[in-house]
Amino acid sequence: GNAIYLKPMLGEAMKENPFKVTERKYPVDFATPMETTYLSTFTLPAGYKVEESPKNLLLSLPENAGRFMFTVAVNGNTVQVVSKITIRKPVFYAEEYAALREFYNQIVSKHAEQIVLKKG
């Protein structure tokens, strides 16, 4: 009735971790460093305010090999959401796999969070 649940990543959310197996014997080859940025600004309906929103998050892989930044900023009747995934090195070796897999688990989890808007 008085609440709106907003998935701020819309159709751009990473819904599942591409690294499913718990152990890997071969390197992960991204071929090239990469960066993916999602930016969206929402205008709140009249009479609604943000009741809950995802907490901001900054994650880094060991040796600065990658970074994930997720921010939600509320300013008056607008909400801005930024998700930025940076992979700085093209190849991750088997011993780095567990950290890479957990890094992507955190991204999937954060992208699934919602913003709750309440009337009043």
Side-chain angles (χ1 to χ4, degrees):
N2 289 336
I4 296 174
Y5 296 88
L6 172 66
K7 291 185 177 184
M9 291 297 296
L10 302 174
E12 300 298 317
M14 185 175 293
K15 292 180 177 65
E16 60 182 50
N17 190 335
F19 305 108
K20 296 183 184 356
V21 297
T22 55
E23 208 174 290
R24 188 175 172 110
K25 294 184 185 255
Y26 300 100
V28 173
D29 189 348
F30 286 101
T32 181
M34 61 182 188
E35 186 169 277
T36 305
T37 303
Y38 168 83
L39 169 67
S40 188
T41 302
F42 301 94
T43 301
L44 303 181
Y48 280 86
K49 293 188 188 271
V50 174
E51 183 173 272
E52 289 179 42
S53 71
K55 301 279 186 256
N56 293 344
L57 179 66
L58 179 60
L59 290 174
S60 292
L61 283 166
E63 299 176 20
N64 209 21
R67 182 176 155 160
F68 171 57
M69 179 191 73
F70 188 89
T71 60
V72 177
V74 179
N75 187 7
N77 72 333
T78 62
V79 177
Q80 185 177 61
V81 178
V82 178
S83 172
K84 186 173 182 179
I85 303 167
T86 306
I87 300 295
R88 290 194 174 93
K89 68 182 204 172
V91 178
F92 287 79
Y93 296 99
E95 57 273 6
E96 300 170 301
Y97 178 74
L100 184 64
R101 183 172 181 254
E102 181 54 29
F103 179 75
Y104 275 88
N105 278 339
Q106 295 287 330
I107 293 170
V108 169
S109 177
K110 186 52 74 174
H111 280 183
E113 293 181 14
Q114 298 181 3
I115 297 173
V116 179
L117 307 176
K118 268 286 195 327
K119 194 164 193 154

